[in-house]
Amino acid sequence: MRQNNEVILTMERVSFRYSPGTPFERLALIDIALRVMRGERVAVVGQTGSGKSTLAGLCNGILKPSDGNVTVFGMDTRGDAKIQKQLRAKVGHVMQNPEDQLFEQYVGDDVAFGPLKLGLTLDEARERARSAMAAVGLDFTEKDTPIYTLSRGRKRLVAIAGILAMEPELLILDEPTSGLDPLTAKSLLDSLSAMCEEKGTTLLLITHQLSEVLQLANRVIVMDHGKISRDGDPEAIFLAAEELPFGLDVPDEVIMAKRLQAAGVRIERKDWNAEGFAATMANSLLNREVKDGKLTKLE
Ligand SMILES: Nc1ncnc2c1ncn2[C@@H]1O[C@H](COP(=O)(O)OP(=O)(O)O)[C@@H](O)[C@H]1O
Ligand SMILES: [Mg+2]
């Protein structure tokens, strides 16, 4: 994983209020401090309403902090129109609702819209659209499909392709797999993972699925009522999962790893899968026996 010491995103004492000064005022983020380095893959998890999408919106300047500062690639997100343009070019944000960002009538036009806006030629934009569509598993012939005929899941894939086509340095995905079947979801994440690796893209992935965190992220932030309640290594945080805010489903592989560790069998993070569990257990049984439900070393 490419990663260096360049800080690309900073939040300092950031709070965010929706509809300030109205009866609908709502404090969505409270005193957030965050630093993201280039090349990191950060997952943001937490219950519905904990502030994940608001946090994402602050990262590319769609939302401005009510208090504190947000700096992205050295630019204050409160900056002028020129800065906003530069932010849009470097920060790609796939919103939670794909309908919020699809404007064109046909798939191809929508995916090529961003690259054209960046000033690329028609041919270049077409190439960008082609490879972005491939990356999300859409056939290029679908470029001529009217968007309104697509399911919500496929609209989401089009929205993701439209952002990938701009080749952002920071890619923010707000629940990208919701509405997708498990197989499509997994292949999308695999493909995004390969793309981030290849291009050195920094990733901020918002998700409900802790197993997606294990698949994709090297850092996890747990949001709870507008605050960051945990920030660190996914393995360590999930192994202490009973302390996590209510409402997060701990993935089976974490439960399994935890049970094995409690039984005295060490299992590395890379082996948290069916093959790894089987091999680890087989190996440990060669050297141990089960006594009173516990594994003990053979004399
Ligand atoms: N447009 C809005 N106007 C008013 N309140 C909002 C708006 N969007 C979100 N909120 C509120 O802000 C809080 C955080 O919401 P959000 O960031 O969408 O959380 P999450 O993405 O974790 O579900 C919630 O209490 C939500 O009801
Ligand atoms: Mg949300």
Side-chain angles (χ1 to χ4, degrees):
M1 196 167 300
R2 257 184 284 175
Q3 202 169 316
N4 61 27
N5 293 330
E6 184 191 350
V7 178
I8 61 160
L9 184 142
T10 314
M11 293 193 184
E12 293 167 320
R13 301 181 319 278
V14 166
S15 297
F16 184 83
R17 260 169 244 280
Y18 285 101
S19 314
T22 76
F24 306 105
E25 178 165 325
R26 174 97 209 180
L27 185 57
L29 290 177
I30 308 153
D31 206 21
I32 300 287
L34 178 64
R35 264 165 33 129
V36 175
M37 320 295 268
R38 189 181 287 277
E40 270 192 307
R41 296 171 178 207
V42 186
V44 181
V45 302
Q47 283 181 266
T48 302
S50 57
K52 304 183 299 294
S53 294
T54 307
L55 189 77
L58 283 162
C59 295
N60 70 345
I62 290 182
L63 302 176
K64 318 283 187 224
S66 308
D67 292 300
N69 298 302
V70 180
T71 311
V72 187
F73 296 109
M75 295 175 275
D76 187 320
T77 60
R78 288 197 199 84
D80 59 18
K82 197 171 142 212
I83 291 206
Q84 298 306 321
K85 197 172 167 205
Q86 285 179 30
L87 279 171
R88 299 282 187 278
K90 281 176 178 271
V91 185
H93 181 187
V94 182
M95 290 186 264
Q96 192 165 356
N97 301 313
E99 288 83 5
D100 289 346
Q101 62 193 119
L102 299 173
F103 300 107
E104 298 286 339
Q105 196 172 354
Y106 296 102
V107 167
D109 292 341
D110 212 289
V111 179
F113 178 84
L116 287 173
K117 196 109 201 279
L118 289 178
L120 300 186
T121 67
L122 266 175
D123 279 348
E124 288 166 333
R126 194 180 162 87
E127 259 332 287
R128 288 276 190 102
R130 185 195 297 275
S131 67
M133 285 175 70
V136 301
L138 289 172
D139 196 278
F140 193 54
T141 55
E142 291 205 55
K143 69 185 187 343
D144 301 319
T145 307
I147 287 173
Y148 77 90
T149 64
L150 299 176
S151 67
R152 194 140 196 270
R154 292 190 91 69
K155 279 184 186 159
R156 185 179 299 282
L157 294 179
V158 174
I160 296 172
I163 295 297
L164 295 185
M166 296 174 77
E167 299 190 350
E169 289 177 43
L170 169 61
L171 176 61
I172 303 168
L173 301 168
D174 199 339
E175 307 205 14
T177 59
S178 85
L180 301 180
D181 64 88
L183 225 72
T184 310
K186 174 150 193 335
S187 83
L188 174 69
L189 292 186
D190 283 344
S191 161
L192 287 171
S193 171
M195 195 214 70
C196 288
E197 186 76 40
E198 186 198 321
K199 299 199 191 320
T201 312
T202 308
L203 185 69
L204 200 80
L205 168 76
I206 296 172
T207 177
H208 261 93
Q209 313 280 336
L210 300 201
S211 58
E212 291 184 356
V213 179
L214 291 174
Q215 190 185 338
L216 215 63
N218 60 353
R219 172 178 173 190
V220 64
I221 290 173
V222 183
M223 298 291 300
D224 184 26
H225 292 91
K227 292 186 176 166
I228 293 179
S229 86
R230 299 280 187 290
D231 179 353
D233 174 48
E235 179 184 335
I237 288 178
F238 293 171
L239 283 174
E242 55 271 28
E243 298 152 29
L244 290 178
F246 166 76
L248 291 174
D249 275 338
V250 178
D252 289 343
E253 51 266 48
V254 174
I255 295 172
M256 190 75 182
K258 219 175 150 171
R259 298 245 165 100
L260 280 174
Q261 291 189 1
V265 181
R266 263 194 47 79
I267 179 159
E268 285 182 44
R269 161 82 160 77
K270 66 172 175 46
D271 296 325
W272 289 12
N273 50 53
E275 293 76 18
F277 287 127
T280 305
M281 282 193 275
N283 187 42
S284 94
L285 286 168
L286 292 175
N287 303 312
R288 290 151 193 252
E289 61 176 355
V290 180
K291 229 182 204 169
D292 304 326
K294 292 207 166 68
L295 284 170
T296 41
K297 264 206 173 94
L298 286 176
E299 295 305 319

